[in-house]
Amino acid sequence: MILIGTLFVVAACGDYQPFGGPLPFPTPAQHDLVVLTRPGALTYTADEQGNAAGIEHDLAELFAQELGVGIRYVVVPPEQMESELANGRYHLAAAWLSPHADEGYAATPPLFQTRDTLAQHEASLPLTDLGQLQGKTVHAMAGTRQAATMQRLSRQIPDLKVVEVGQGTILDLLEALGERQVEYVAIDQTLEEIANQYVPSLRASLALSDEQPVVWLLGPRPNAELAARANAFVERIQHDGTLARVEERYLGHVHRLNQADVTKFLGQMETTLPKLRRHFEAAETVTGIDWRLIAAIAYQESHWDPNATSPTNVRGIMMLTEETADRLGVGNRLDPRESILAGARYLNLLKEQLDAPEPDRTWLALAGYNIGPGHLNAARSLARQQKADPNAWYEMKRILPLLAKPQYYERLKSGRARGGEAVILVENIRSYYDILVRHELPARPVAPGVERMIGMQGGSAPGLKLRH
């Protein structure tokens, strides 16, 4: 999960003008595609290095690529969205929006379907009927569709109080719910499974609205050609799998962990992680892999137990096989420092064997970490035979379980493998990583002298190669 940027207006866009006529049609090297959006887990987020992501962001990037033009974002807080929509100084608004009440605002065909729902603490009596909101206080983020839904309901339900929150993010508000500081929160249904990773005590049992489409708004006076291109783009990605792949990138893993898994992990983050963090950060210094991802791998492998041992003699906090440990020069697999550094180096070696784009490259390498590079390569060959993309994790999630079926593995030199378990491992690691990114800060900078010393102690062995 990536940190939500507290961005208000990003006007680093040569085409963006707060006043004046319609924007020029986006053209290569002349006029960028101007996208109006807002910060959020489903829309536009930025990590510590300023790299942007989000479902809406990725889709807008794909549309700009199809047009062959650059892209510039106007990022505003939710409470300013309505006024920005009215001024028309954008080509499209991609901010998890439903069709505008004013029919003059053109919109694309639906990208997704969603509804507003009520989140409450698991310990509170679940509400199952809108009439039970009488006398209750419900919080919602200011300027959102959920706030508008609650204001509408407050005119129908006696003594329903609505509090619109103008600071922080929806995840901050839901964490306040988890701590019993607020009683009820109105959220987008799509956000529920993401939020469950951070607030395992959250429950959503009451629908606040009917199902509504999520669309791109094209403004009150859209360019006819641009509207036609946007509509055609949305229809195409719905049918060729592009939309499903983008959705999987952000939502495909979030339903794997249950409440007990998340609660236990959050507890271990407080008690066990502080003792190991320096080893994870040292491994990041050597390998460049985010220490939080290395920690997520270690938790999935051993629950951060340096003495973990499997019946097949896979051992240590990173659960290294004896063969892998020997090739990486590990003297003691039960030494957490050695094991963590070796596991991170091994992941890098696996990534070097792949030419997939990120983040698919990392997810594929994690699958190889579990089943070995030989089985991963066999699965990728099988993907090609099945007319699937071997570089797309979305596709490989379907292919990997086939390695356990005789009609497939009997034709492979590598033989049988538990590919389905590899998929589960990767999806769990993705969830643990999201939680760590939400709660733990990036690694502190390391002095160059210390970095050289760490590298001398644990750098990659010259000429080390993986067997296939």
Side-chain angles (χ1 to χ4, degrees):
M1 190 72 177
I2 306 171
L3 293 177
I4 294 179
T6 54
L7 306 169
F8 292 97
V9 176
V10 177
C13 134
D15 294 327
Y16 181 73
Q17 303 167 3
F19 305 101
L23 294 178
F25 185 84
T27 50
Q30 293 186 19
H31 302 295
D32 291 340
L33 177 72
V34 180
V35 176
L36 177 64
T37 189
R38 60 186 175 192
L42 301 171
T43 50
Y44 185 100
T45 62
D47 63 15
E48 296 90 353
Q49 288 75 43
N51 301 312
I55 294 177
E56 293 278 29
H57 167 272
D58 288 9
L59 293 175
E61 291 284 333
L62 289 172
F63 182 49
Q65 290 173 22
E66 183 169 292
L67 295 176
V69 300
I71 189 168
R72 295 292 183 269
Y73 295 92
V74 180
V75 187
V76 301
E79 60 270 23
Q80 293 182 19
M81 180 58 65
E82 191 61 34
S83 61
E84 291 294 330
L85 285 172
N87 74 29
R89 304 301 296 157
Y90 54 91
H91 291 114
L92 62 89
W96 209 258
L97 300 169
S98 293
H100 201 275
D102 184 343
E103 295 181 358
Y105 284 74
T108 63
L111 288 157
F112 304 98
Q113 295 289 334
T114 190
R115 59 161 47 96
D116 300 329
T117 188
L118 187 74
Q120 59 186 104
H121 195 279
E122 63 175 357
S124 60
L125 188 66
L127 303 187
T128 57
D129 183 83
L130 289 175
Q132 294 175 310
L133 289 172
Q134 182 174 348
K136 302 293 193 297
T137 298
V138 179
H139 288 69
M141 296 301 296
T144 62
R145 188 185 66 243
Q146 293 75 46
T149 294
M150 292 312 306
Q151 293 295 352
R152 174 178 56 80
L153 289 175
S154 70
R155 294 190 288 271
Q156 303 169 8
I157 301 172
D159 301 323
L160 169 60
K161 181 180 179 182
V162 179
V163 178
E164 297 194 21
V165 179
Q167 295 181 334
T169 68
I170 184 61
L171 291 180
D172 295 328
L173 183 55
L174 290 172
E175 286 176 344
L177 173 71
E179 296 168 0
R180 309 299 296 271
Q181 297 175 12
V182 300
E183 193 173 10
Y184 302 102
V185 177
I187 63 172
D188 188 290
Q189 184 183 51
T190 312
L191 192 64
E192 179 188 350
E193 288 187 332
I194 295 177
N196 280 330
Q197 295 187 111
Y198 311 108
V199 189
S201 57
L202 178 152
R203 289 293 174 271
S205 59
L206 178 63
L208 299 173
S209 70
D210 295 332
E211 198 170 68
Q212 302 178 59
V214 174
V215 299
W216 283 349
L217 294 182
L218 304 172
R221 299 180 303 279
N223 177 280
E225 180 183 354
L226 182 63
R229 294 289 297 271
N231 292 343
F233 170 79
V234 171
E235 291 175 354
R236 177 181 65 77
I237 64 175
Q238 287 174 334
H239 293 96
D240 68 5
T242 300
L243 186 61
R245 285 191 290 272
V246 172
E247 183 179 12
E248 191 284 329
R249 175 170 293 181
Y250 294 94
L251 303 175
H253 63 291
V254 296
H255 61 281
R256 289 285 182 181
L257 301 183
N258 59 35
Q259 178 189 10
D261 294 329
V262 177
T263 300
K264 181 177 180 181
F265 183 59
L266 292 172
Q268 290 281 68
M269 284 171 56
E270 293 184 3
T271 58
T272 306
L273 181 59
K275 306 170 190 175
L276 298 167
R277 177 168 175 159
R278 69 183 187 278
H279 300 312
F280 294 128
E281 290 190 347
E284 176 180 340
T285 300
V286 173
T287 65
I289 300 173
D290 189 333
W291 77 268
R292 295 166 294 190
L293 177 59
I294 303 170
I297 299 168
Y299 186 82
Q300 172 62 32
E301 291 289 344
S302 68
H303 283 201
W304 292 332
D305 178 6
N307 298 312
T309 303
S310 79
T312 57
N313 199 34
V314 179
R315 309 187 73 188
I317 195 169
M318 300 295 284
M319 295 300 275
L320 301 173
T321 65
E322 188 172 5
E323 181 185 9
T324 299
D326 288 343
R327 280 187 282 150
L328 290 166
V330 176
N332 180 7
R333 284 184 286 167
L334 301 185
D335 181 331
R337 183 191 67 83
E338 282 196 73
S339 183
I340 289 169
L341 182 55
R345 289 169 55 210
Y346 183 51
L347 180 62
N348 262 354
L349 289 168
L350 290 165
K351 290 175 66 174
E352 288 172 5
Q353 308 293 313
L354 301 166
D355 55 1
E358 291 290 3
D360 302 69
R361 185 184 183 194
T362 295
W363 309 147
L364 291 168
L366 287 173
Y369 191 103
N370 177 254
I371 60 175
H375 288 302
L376 177 63
N377 287 333
R380 298 182 77 211
S381 296
L382 183 58
R384 296 184 187 96
Q385 296 171 21
Q386 299 289 317
K387 308 300 182 184
D389 184 355
N391 290 325
W393 178 242
Y394 172 77
E395 301 271 19
M396 292 302 294
K397 285 171 64 173
R398 174 176 60 87
I399 298 296
L400 280 162
L402 301 181
L403 297 181
K405 296 184 176 183
Q407 62 266 41
Y408 295 101
Y409 73 70
E410 287 178 351
R411 295 180 293 162
L412 300 172
K413 182 179 179 181
S414 59
R416 183 179 183 275
R418 296 175 177 175
E421 291 184 9
V423 172
I424 294 172
L425 173 137
V426 175
E427 302 294 73
N428 287 351
I429 289 172
R430 292 173 66 184
S431 289
Y432 291 134
Y433 179 51
D434 284 350
I435 296 170
L436 286 165
V437 168
R438 171 71 180 168
H439 291 283
E440 299 290 339
L441 294 174
R444 294 175 289 274
V446 179
V450 176
E451 184 173 344
R452 285 195 300 272
M453 182 179 70
I454 295 174
M456 291 173 61
Q457 293 174 347
S460 296
L464 180 62
K465 298 293 181 183
L466 292 177
R467 289 185 223 161
H468 297 275

